[in-house]
Amino acid sequence: MPREQAAQREGLEEQLGRLEGAPYGRYKGLVGTWRLPGDGGSGATLRLVRAQADPFAPPARAALHLPPDAAAFPAELWATPVRRRALASFLARRAAEAADGEKSLRIDAGGQEVLDRSSCTVGADGGVTLRFGLALPGKGRRIDARYAQRLMCRTVPRVAERALRHGALDAASVREFVETVEDSDALRAALPGLGLVAFVADGAVLPRGSGVDDRPASGPGVVPFLSPENMRVTVELPHAGTVTGMGLPEGVSLVVGGGFHGKSTLLRALETGVWDHVPGDGRERVVSRPETVKLRAEDGRRVERVDVHAFVDHLPDGSDTTDFSTDNASGSTSQAASLCEAVEAGARVLLIDEDTAATNLMIRDARMQALVAKDREPLTPFVDSVRSLHRDHGVSTVLVMGGSGDYLEVADRVLMMDAYRPSDVTARAREVASVPTGRHAEAESFPPAVHRVPEPSSLEAESRGRRRVRSRGEDTLTFGEHEVDLRSVEQITDSRQVTGIGLALELMVRRGHVDGERTLAEALDLLDRDLARGAEALLAVRDEDFAVPRRFETAAALNRLRGMRVHRQSPRPAGNGTGWGA
């Protein structure tokens, strides 16, 4: 008889009782699946996926599973992938609340965003699986069986009873959570058909509590968003019904206004609009196109064979800017590379804030043009190619700009923020822009993307014979022998996404998506196909707490991996139309 079946028959509590005072390593004998004591025959199980090597090692991994009849959620709550993701997020949060005070249970509940997480998944049959860290108790290096019995045989079943069964939850709260996420997803899916890159609902609360508190700001000074009348769009959502708000059209949009009046706050809301948000967040109906990427300057980042000649025509040292590499990029070359990499990966909307951009890449005014001849200035400013980027390649741009009026000439729409209140000032901006400044354009068009082919041998997740893929907060990914600096990849909102990025990179190599022949965009298309199933594909790599990443953050990490090497590739479309070129 298989060991796991025998263990289920014998019972977990009895087996733990026999381990009192045994060497800590004996916990490894519990790896397998156990029926939960006192589950009333419902079939709920606890699986010990991985045991701790010793009391000071990372916690063990465990999975608590309730079959459909035990969880008993109505079918409409898990009928689609979007609803399953929403329901799983709700349950993870309730499980963390139910386990509050028990420090030995580590449940990844998440923050304001509703991400596809490994910590809780809902199956296509309505079954629920909660995955968590389990700090197995010990006295020194000996097993503390009584504490382990209380933890695994009473606390864990109590979490299941209070948080994972429909009958124990407030049905209205569950439904509100699921419907809020479904509305957000439907709103985002409607954007292309409306010719929009983003939507901000009337009444949305965009300011956050503080720089370290992502919950909505509150108090008499908070100004709810209200769309300018001529930009107001009406949409019908599955549950909320008729919703109005500002529709930001495709093309080149400029957000202007004085300092501290809400320009960057609006852009930050658009930046996080690629994710769904929890009810009460204030941004539940603030959505952006899924292919939206935030860009910034990033001194010191690595660049590997990127064609940046659209922005950098020549360099004093004679470097080929159509095939540019550096281990220490400047602000301007880093931003130029990031933009080209984002579009190579399939970005269709770019967000740029002048506060974090390289000024010399953004603009060169008439006086500087007169002082420094073009043949002595290698940089071509973005202002001269931003319209071509949309006209010729279908890539829209939203810019926050408070210091350069030259962008007024190229903007399709100009939005002014005044004390957090938006107004459309496009007509007035065109009047201002009609006054000649003497500046002349330094570029006529943006060139096609050049697609690169990563070398699989350069994406090694092992170091000295050990697999090393882990995150350090939201800023750093350890991948093999390298530390990947992700501080400037601003759409990473959760440290668990960093773990997910590492697993996604490992998956791309394992499954041969990166094979030395496919372009990066084509490899990302295959990754998207894998991740369409949610957390399942990455769980096959390793059972960890992670959030499923987007292709764009995965590509950003790959491009910053100092060991990564690529072949060059002629411009050509990539799979599923994500690439663009001749």
Side-chain angles (χ1 to χ4, degrees), residues 102-118:
E102 180 48 76
K103 296 181 180 179
S104 295
L105 296 183
R106 317 285 175 81
I107 299 174
D108 175 31
Q112 296 299 104
E113 287 77 26
V114 180
L115 306 177
D116 200 339
R117 295 178 178 274
S118 61

Side-chain angles (χ1 to χ4, degrees), residues 184-494:
S184 173
D185 183 78
L187 181 55
R188 188 176 297 104
L191 293 177
L194 296 171
L196 303 176
V197 300
F199 178 90
V200 184
D202 290 332
V205 177
L206 306 188
R208 300 293 91 189
S210 71
V212 294
D213 184 356
D214 200 38
R215 293 173 297 181
S218 59
V222 175
V223 179
F225 191 88
L226 185 64
S227 173
E229 191 60 39
N230 67 323
M231 295 180 69
R232 181 167 285 120
V233 174
T234 300
V235 292
E236 291 292 326
L237 298 181
H239 307 290
T242 302
V243 173
T244 64
M246 182 184 75
L248 201 59
E250 297 171 349
V252 180
S253 296
L254 205 60
V255 183
V256 303
F260 309 102
H261 280 258
K263 303 188 303 296
S264 295
T265 299
L266 173 59
L267 198 73
R268 173 63 179 164
L270 300 183
E271 173 186 327
T272 62
V274 298
W275 313 113
D276 301 318
H277 292 88
V278 300
D281 174 80
R283 301 169 295 182
E284 300 95 319
R285 300 188 188 108
V286 178
V287 297
S288 302
R289 294 269 287 268
E291 310 91 350
T292 297
V293 176
K294 172 74 179 301
L295 300 175
R296 61 171 295 155
E298 188 178 349
D299 287 349
R301 68 152 287 195
R302 181 176 188 261
V303 177
E304 174 69 4
R305 306 193 72 177
V306 178
D307 181 357
V308 296
H309 85 276
F311 300 107
V312 189
D313 183 43
H314 60 274
L315 289 172
D317 64 2
S319 298
D320 181 4
T321 60
T322 67
D323 188 0
F324 179 70
S325 298
T326 180
D327 284 329
N328 188 23
S330 66
S332 55
T333 55
S334 66
Q335 186 176 328
S338 293
L339 190 152
C340 295
E341 290 165 350
V343 178
E344 177 192 13
R348 286 295 175 265
V349 184
L350 305 177
L351 307 179
I352 302 175
D353 190 332
E354 66 173 351
D355 284 351
T356 56
T359 302
N360 57 348
L361 188 73
M362 297 300 291
I363 190 65
R364 201 161 86 95
D365 65 19
R367 287 173 174 164
M368 197 57 70
Q369 286 181 329
L371 181 64
V372 181
K374 178 57 182 170
D375 64 357
R376 308 307 299 168
E377 172 54 78
L379 294 177
T380 299
F382 186 51
V383 68
D384 292 330
S385 57
V386 65
R387 287 197 64 80
S388 169
L389 196 58
H390 179 248
R391 180 187 66 240
D392 301 327
H393 307 296
V395 179
S396 299
T397 307
V398 182
L399 301 112
V400 164
M401 190 65 60
S404 174
D406 288 330
Y407 274 89
L408 299 178
E409 295 185 27
V410 299
D412 297 304
R413 179 80 64 175
V414 182
L415 185 71
M416 178 176 285
M417 297 298 294
D418 184 0
Y420 286 92
R421 300 183 187 279
S423 59
D424 182 359
V425 295
T426 304
R428 174 58 180 152
R430 287 176 178 158
E431 290 178 9
V432 173
S434 67
V435 178
T437 65
R439 186 185 185 280
H440 57 272
E442 298 181 359
E444 295 181 357
S445 63
F446 197 91
V450 173
H451 292 281
R452 299 168 299 155
V453 178
E455 296 182 11
S457 62
S458 67
L459 305 180
E460 180 54 65
E462 288 191 359
S463 175
R464 300 178 183 178
R466 298 181 61 186
R467 174 193 169 279
R468 295 180 72 229
V469 178
R470 59 177 179 268
S471 66
R472 291 213 314 268
E474 297 174 18
D475 296 338
T476 306
L477 169 68
T478 299
F479 192 84
E481 296 182 350
H482 301 283
E483 301 286 314
V484 185
D485 186 349
L486 298 173
R487 285 176 295 178
S488 296
V489 184
E490 296 184 327
Q491 284 168 292
I492 295 175
T493 63
D494 190 299

Side-chain angles (χ1 to χ4, degrees), residues 3 10 34 42 75 127 148 151 154 164 168 188 200-201 285 290 329 385 391 447 459 551 570 572:
R3 181 189 189 99
E10 184 176 16
W34 303 80
S42 67
L151 179 65
R154 284 179 279 284
L164 304 183
R188 188 176 297 104
V200 184
R285 300 188 188 108
S385 57
R391 180 187 66 240
L459 305 180
R551 65 187 286 138
S570 297
R572 64 182 175 89

